[in-house]
Amino acid sequence: MLDHMSTEDRRRREREAREALFIDRAHARIREDGLLGLQMSKLAADCEYATGTLYQHFESREDLLAAVAARSTRKRAARFRVIPGLDLDTRARMLAIVLADIDFAAVNPDYHRLMQYLVTEVVWANVSVARRTALLEAARPISEAVGAVVSEARAHGDLPPAREMGAEEMGLGPWALNVGMQDLANAQGLLDAYDIHRPYDHLIRHFHALLTGWRWEPCLDPDDPARVRAETDRVRAALAAAGIGADTVECERTAAD
Amino acid sequence: MLDHMSTEDRRRREREAREALFIDRAHARIREDGLLGLQMSKLAADCEYATGTLYQHFESREDLLAAVAARSTRKRAARFRVIPGLDLDTRARMLAIVLADIDFAAVNPDYHRLMQYLVTEVVWANVSVARRTALLEAARPISEAVGAVVSEARAHGDLPPAREMGAEEMGLGPWALNVGMQDLANAQGLLDAYDIHRPYDHLIRHFHALLTGWRWEPCLDPDDPARVRAETDRVRAALAAAGIGADTVECERTAAD
DNA sequence: GGTCATGTGTGAATCAGGTTCAAAAAGTGG
DNA sequence: CCACTTTTTGAACCTGATTCACACATGACC
């Protein structure tokens, strides 16, 4: 009886280890060769398993991609965990969220492309329900972090409570601005075509304009590049002190340990 | 000689007509059955041509999609042409751009999905250079409209000229906000998961916050839903008067005539 | 130990759909 | 009408995801 249970336990552990291996190698392959470089049979061979075995873990190629994305998203979300503990005013904390995300994107350039591909109707349609919810779940802490900062700012009197607008909906602004700028920055040749450079610097300034528009104290004039830079440096320093720097080389490759 | 030239002319015209037919039917198919519903051989058969003929117009399936997208983008861009002529202050004009785009998205729900799919690295890589530039070119009037409104606002004294920031870069803010919100709104089940509804209403309020943060006159408090609604209605009315209403049923289907 | 039932792994075969290209048809000039 | 060029055709090809009949391992029971 005990015997039976412990072998079952071992089985589950082995199975999970194998799944982690698949996800790990898949991610490596995507990083090296792009999304097209990921081929189911090649990946299986890489891991020294048969194609069919791979399909016992993932219903389809898209399902596998969603699993990879979920793992990365968990890493991304983890960055926001330290933010509530930072010694910063609420407005700076919101900035910290945006900066942490910008830095994550800089360190993991393929993450955005993967997500973009994944949420495409063609791809998303082939992702199993379980993986869909897993991915949504992995992203939840991100919007929760945003919501928490907004709530705190309101409670603390930094941000007047907007009428007909919950905390999530207030956070939607910076979030959408962030998402949109990442999109534009990643669209091959788009910003170049309009001769726009350093999109993230502009994201930060527009971010301040947005928050100042909502009267989020302490207000900061977006048209004061020096102060904007100083504030960015201040918040980046706080992030770095908490171990979430732009130069965090981690890059997820160390996930296996 | 004349003869030769005129048959060549006729040839070109016929060829263009055939290409338009392909694009038209392809779009119809996408609208009806989604992106997966578009199959090269089926489409060719639909149009009563052989598969190979289709490939004389489009290097690949992705190339065809880009052509469809370019056509839609031209329609989208056309909406902005009337905006400079509207009898509105510059701030309201910027709002008009956003509203026109929201309405376009409402009338053409598949447009965003197509674009999203297209700019994916996997897909974009298979689009011919000619079609890429054509698509970029089709989108240019959009950012030009934005840039023009910003320039006008600065010239008119409605918007203080921000330091270290050109007109395009100022327009980048509302543009990114717009793009980001459309993205979030289109991500299947994302906003539902966080119990956020009416994303475009929030987009409009955040838009006002952003512009107010940049001191774009006449300032409008984003936390005044009644005034925001009134302003939206005012601008929508101006758009409707110019023939660019939310209820414009056009839907591109009439493109063939 | 031997044998059967059950679950797991295998990888060659299947399938789908985009793409090609050799042959046929149409067009052109003399 | 003939020789030659250009265009069209659609069946064959190719790639790569997915499946599934079979081999194999595991554990229960005699």
Side-chain angles (χ1 to χ4, degrees), chain A residues 128-188:
Chain A
S128 66
V129 174
R131 302 254 177 225
R132 284 189 205 188
T133 54
L135 184 52
L136 254 2
E137 209 45 53
R140 179 174 291 274
I142 299 174
S143 74
E144 265 169 9
V146 175
V149 173
V150 172
S151 298
E152 198 187 346
R154 283 178 171 182
H156 196 263
D158 293 340
L159 176 68
R163 275 169 269 182
E164 304 180 21
M165 201 172 236
E168 292 77 16
E169 289 149 350
M170 176 57 73
L172 197 56
W175 188 12
L177 190 60
N178 197 12
V179 167
M181 193 65 80
Q182 301 234 5
D183 253 38
L184 295 176
N186 277 287
Q188 174 63 255

Side-chain angles (χ1 to χ4, degrees), chain B residues 85 111 160 191 210 234:
Chain B
Y111 176 74
L191 293 186
L210 180 64
R234 182 173 78 96

Side-chain angles (χ1 to χ4, degrees), chain B residues 74-96:
Chain B
R74 256 173 249 119
K75 299 248 165 187
R76 177 168 164 237
R79 298 195 153 215
F80 301 135
R81 254 203 278 288
V82 302
I83 288 177
L86 295 182
D87 183 27
L88 293 169
D89 51 278
T90 58
R91 180 161 168 154
R93 251 179 234 188
M94 186 57 105
L95 177 59

Side-chain angles (χ1 to χ4, degrees), chain B:
Chain B
M1 180 58 170
L2 259 176
D3 223 32
H4 179 251
M5 277 187 66
S6 75
T7 67
E8 202 165 88
D9 240 36
R10 173 180 54 79
R11 278 275 172 87
R12 178 168 32 259
R13 251 177 301 119
E14 283 175 357
R15 196 186 150 76
E16 272 165 19
R18 194 169 62 179
E19 185 153 318
L21 171 69
F22 283 144
I23 293 175
D24 217 51
R25 293 275 175 99
H27 196 170
R29 208 142 246 277
I30 291 172
R31 225 185 276 112
E32 285 159 29
D33 311 335
L35 282 170
L36 282 172
L38 184 75
Q39 289 177 20
M40 297 303 270
S41 48
K42 290 258 189 70
L43 174 64
D46 250 27
C47 300
E48 304 189 288
Y49 284 101
T51 317
T53 309
L54 188 51
Y55 276 86
Q56 289 187 338
H57 292 268
F58 311 100
E59 285 185 13
S60 66
R61 183 174 184 272
E62 287 78 12
D63 215 40
L64 167 60
L65 292 178
V68 173
R71 202 191 60 166
S72 291
T73 300
R74 256 173 249 119
K75 299 248 165 187
R76 177 168 164 237
R79 298 195 153 215
F80 301 135
R81 254 203 278 288
V82 302
I83 288 177
L86 295 182
D87 183 27
L88 293 169
D89 51 278
T90 58
R91 180 161 168 154
R93 251 179 234 188
M94 186 57 105
L95 177 59
I97 290 179
V98 173
L99 290 180
D101 212 39
I102 290 175
D103 293 344
F104 178 82
V107 177
N108 302 286
D110 33 77
Y111 176 74
H112 187 269
R113 280 182 293 206
L114 173 57
M115 287 299 275
Q116 190 168 273
Y117 183 59
L118 208 53
V119 297
T120 276
E121 63 163 333
V122 181
V123 179
W124 194 243
N126 289 318
V127 176
S128 66
V129 174
R131 301 256 177 224
R132 282 189 206 188
T133 54
L135 184 53
L136 254 2
E137 209 45 52
R140 179 173 291 275
I142 298 173
S143 73
E144 265 170 9
V146 174
V149 172
V150 171
S151 298
E152 200 188 344
R154 284 178 170 181
H156 196 263
D158 293 338
L159 175 68
R163 276 169 269 179
E164 305 180 19
M165 200 173 236
E168 291 79 14
E169 289 149 349
M170 176 58 74
L172 198 55
W175 188 13
L177 190 61
N178 198 11
V179 168
M181 194 66 80
Q182 301 233 7
D183 253 38
L184 295 176
N186 277 287
Q188 174 63 254
L190 221 196
L191 293 186
D192 299 337
Y194 303 130
D195 204 41
I196 293 175
H197 308 288
R198 313 187 120 287
Y200 295 118
D201 288 356
H202 299 303
L203 167 58
I204 292 168
R205 292 185 71 185
H206 285 293
F207 165 86
H208 282 299
L210 180 64
L211 264 53
T212 295
W214 282 114
R215 301 172 204 265
W216 194 322
E217 301 291 338
C219 276
L220 190 158
D221 183 1
D223 187 15
D224 186 344
R227 281 217 47 210
V228 168
R229 265 192 290 272
E231 180 69 354
T232 303
D233 290 345
R234 182 173 78 96
V235 173
R236 273 238 164 81
L239 280 172
I244 308 276
D247 49 340
T248 310
V249 192
E250 151 197 19
C251 195
E252 318 191 18
R253 216 159 310 175
T254 55
D257 61 13

